[in-house]
Amino acid sequence: MRINFPHFFGKYSIIYGYSRKNRMKRILWALIVLVILFLVYAIYAFNVRMEVDEVFDLGLDTPPDLISQIYNPVFDDTVTFLKFSYETEGAYTLLEIDLAPGGGNTTHLHRRFSETFIPIEGTLGVEHMGRDYFLEPGEQVTVEIGESHRFFNPGEERIRFHVKIKPGSAGFEKALFLLYGLTKDGYADENGMLKDFNHIALFLKLSDTGVPGMLNLLNPFFKRTARQLQESGEADALLEKYYFSRTE
């Protein structure tokens, strides 16, 4: 039997080329499907909300003798609660913050309440929707619901400023007690970020804090974790230790 080698290899190369082309098509379609699935998930994740009951935010369970001042050793700042939510029947929460030079928080947003920043002593820096404001006593800026922001101390001296939250949020108040207590007990890193995913999830839920950007992809996991902590009783245990027991 004679084999026509040029004809044989030519035929083989056509079959191989056809097979390779099919494989590339399958890979391309798989990538397209993955991209579509990712976009669907991203749309879902970016719209996940961790709501709390409105009655919960009124703070009717706030201990009447709850301490009014907490300290964060990492940020070297002190928060004084001038008005708790329950004291204003849910109209607002009022804080006074004493902040060290270079101190501040990271960019975030809230979907249940607005925040008004009012400098009392020194220059207060507020980043609002990507723009920096340097406020002096007598000035103020209001961050509306859903707007990204952060505050910071741009100077070399300590500053004091008020933050008015409307409507009031007992959840936010509880979250600050939780954050500062966990930080004091060593559960935060040198940048003040909580180390434990469970702690982060509970803090985000209580404080109604959202983060802009790709971290929103973690929203479904944060929501599920926060729910599991509440169902297991761990959330209650953490709040008992860092909030309800902090009485005078």
Side-chain angles (χ1 to χ4, degrees):
M1 177 180 176
R2 293 181 59 189
I3 297 177
N4 188 331
F5 286 101
H7 175 73
F8 175 79
F9 284 112
K11 193 174 182 179
Y12 175 78
S13 63
I14 291 173
I15 295 173
Y16 175 75
Y18 178 77
S19 175
R20 184 179 181 184
K21 186 181 294 184
N22 275 352
R23 187 162 61 250
M24 293 301 294
K25 283 184 178 180
R26 287 196 296 270
I27 293 174
L28 180 60
W29 276 111
L31 289 174
I32 292 173
V33 170
L34 287 175
V35 169
I36 292 173
L37 290 175
F38 174 79
L39 291 175
V40 170
Y41 172 78
I43 293 171
Y44 161 71
F46 274 61
N47 286 280
V48 167
R49 301 289 183 267
M50 293 196 287
E51 298 89 353
V52 299
D53 189 276
E54 290 184 7
V55 175
F56 171 85
D57 248 359
L58 290 176
L60 300 180
D61 59 351
T62 303
D65 54 349
L66 185 68
I67 63 172
S68 62
Q69 194 171 88
I70 54 178
Y71 174 71
N72 188 319
V74 174
F75 292 139
D76 189 19
D77 69 28
T78 300
V79 173
T80 301
F81 292 87
L82 302 179
K83 287 289 183 182
F84 289 104
S85 180
Y86 84 94
E87 295 179 292
T88 67
E89 297 183 343
Y92 64 89
T93 295
L94 184 61
L95 317 173
E96 179 173 292
I97 300 179
D98 180 289
L99 186 61
N105 56 7
T106 57
T107 304
H108 62 284
L109 55 86
H110 304 286
R111 299 186 179 91
R112 293 202 307 267
F113 52 80
S114 66
E115 288 182 281
T116 299
F117 294 90
I118 310 164
I120 303 300
E121 182 180 324
T123 301
L124 168 64
V126 177
E127 179 191 310
H128 180 204
M129 299 296 285
R131 178 181 176 184
D132 286 344
Y133 295 85
F134 298 93
L135 307 175
E136 301 294 339
E139 302 176 325
Q140 66 181 46
V141 64
T142 296
V143 176
E144 299 295 347
I145 291 174
E147 295 180 344
S148 63
H149 63 282
R150 73 182 185 96
F151 64 79
F152 58 96
N153 182 350
E156 297 180 357
E157 303 290 336
R158 300 189 71 89
I159 64 172
R160 287 190 305 116
F161 61 97
H162 289 176
V163 182
K164 189 173 187 178
I165 297 169
K166 294 181 62 178
S169 175
F172 185 80
E173 297 162 11
K174 289 179 171 74
L176 287 184
F177 271 85
L178 178 69
L179 173 63
Y180 281 42
L182 288 170
T183 299
K184 186 177 179 180
D185 284 351
Y187 292 102
D189 62 23
E190 59 186 12
N191 297 313
M193 300 295 292
L194 295 174
K195 302 175 184 177
D196 190 294
F197 191 86
N198 289 350
H199 295 159
I200 296 172
L202 183 58
F203 171 79
L204 293 178
K205 178 177 176 61
L206 292 174
S207 65
D208 178 46
T209 297
V211 290
M214 298 304 289
L215 283 176
N216 279 290
L217 295 174
L218 295 176
N219 284 344
F221 299 99
F222 286 135
K223 184 174 183 177
R224 180 181 179 184
T225 300
R227 184 175 64 248
Q228 290 174 338
L229 289 175
Q230 291 180 310
E231 291 173 351
S232 69
E234 187 175 345
D236 290 337
L238 286 168
L239 287 175
E240 177 62 34
K241 178 177 181 180
Y242 292 112
Y243 178 73
F244 290 107
S245 65
R246 303 294 306 280
T247 54
E248 295 177 319

